[in-house]
Amino acid sequence: MSKILQMILSGMFFTFILDFFLFLGIKENYIDAHGIQLYYNILFADNQNIFIFTFFTIILGYIIMYLSNKIAVVVITTLFVASAATLIPPIGNYVGEILFMQKNITLKTDKFSYHGDLLYNGRKGISFYDYELKKIILLDKNKIQGNY
């Protein structure tokens, strides 16, 4: 039983480190680059996927505990390099776009209609790049009509 607990805890530890660097790169090179006002902790907490985290926890824990050290080092190093690659501005921006951006959509409020790119869908607001205004605006989620 203790070997399974060690497997889970070591998998969680390494998955957390990989996750940290992934979101750090996205925060630095996508969120901050677009001027979106968002704390790192909120980004990290709101965008966790428990199924992906659990999957990597189990897989990494198994690799670390039950496979040879050479295989574990190669796998962990490869995943770390891939996760830390988001610290490179074009890669971090691209990953942020894949995860958060919705291109060419229309949002409507009671008075106005906005056409552009949804950059980030936050807890209370939406960061939106409007094509006509040619700038990023923050819209209140409670005032948007329809689905987005």
Side-chain angles (χ1 to χ4, degrees), residues 3-63:
K3 196 81 160 165
I4 292 174
L5 184 61
Q6 280 181 316
M7 180 186 91
I8 292 170
L9 290 175
S10 62
M12 286 175 71
F13 175 73
F14 282 103
T15 303
F16 179 76
I17 290 171
L18 295 173
D19 219 14
F20 172 80
F21 280 103
L22 175 75
F23 281 105
L24 180 63
I26 291 170
K27 170 82 167 88
E28 291 290 321
N29 299 309
Y30 180 76
I31 300 293
D32 291 348
H34 286 16
I36 300 169
Q37 298 297 316
L38 182 68
Y39 291 110
Y40 177 80
N41 294 346
I42 294 171
L43 173 71
F44 191 80
D46 286 356
N47 296 290
Q48 292 298 314
N49 186 319
I50 191 68
F51 301 113
I52 294 173
F53 190 84
T54 304
F55 173 77
F56 277 102
T57 294
I58 293 168
I59 297 300
L60 290 178
Y62 178 81
I63 289 170

Side-chain angles (χ1 to χ4, degrees), residues 26-37 93 96-97 101 117-120 127 129 136-137:
I26 291 170
K27 170 82 167 88
E28 291 290 321
N29 299 309
Y30 180 76
I31 300 293
D32 291 348
H34 286 16
I36 300 169
Q37 298 297 316
N93 188 45
E97 285 179 4
M101 184 181 278
D117 297 334
L118 190 149
L119 299 176
Y120 184 76
S127 295
Y129 178 80
I136 297 172
I137 56 175

Side-chain angles (χ1 to χ4, degrees), residues 106-123:
T106 302
L107 298 177
K108 295 180 182 178
T109 62
D110 292 337
K111 298 179 182 180
F112 301 105
S113 179
Y114 304 97
H115 185 71
D117 297 334
L118 190 149
L119 299 176
Y120 184 76
N121 188 353
R123 289 180 180 179

Side-chain angles (χ1 to χ4, degrees), residues 79-118:
L79 289 173
F80 179 76
V81 168
S83 178
T86 60
L87 295 171
I88 300 168
I91 296 172
N93 188 45
Y94 179 72
V95 172
E97 285 179 4
I98 289 172
L99 291 176
F100 302 121
M101 184 181 278
Q102 296 177 24
K103 292 187 177 245
N104 201 23
I105 65 169
T106 302
L107 298 177
K108 295 180 182 178
T109 62
D110 292 337
K111 298 179 182 180
F112 301 105
S113 179
Y114 304 97
H115 185 71
D117 297 334
L118 190 149

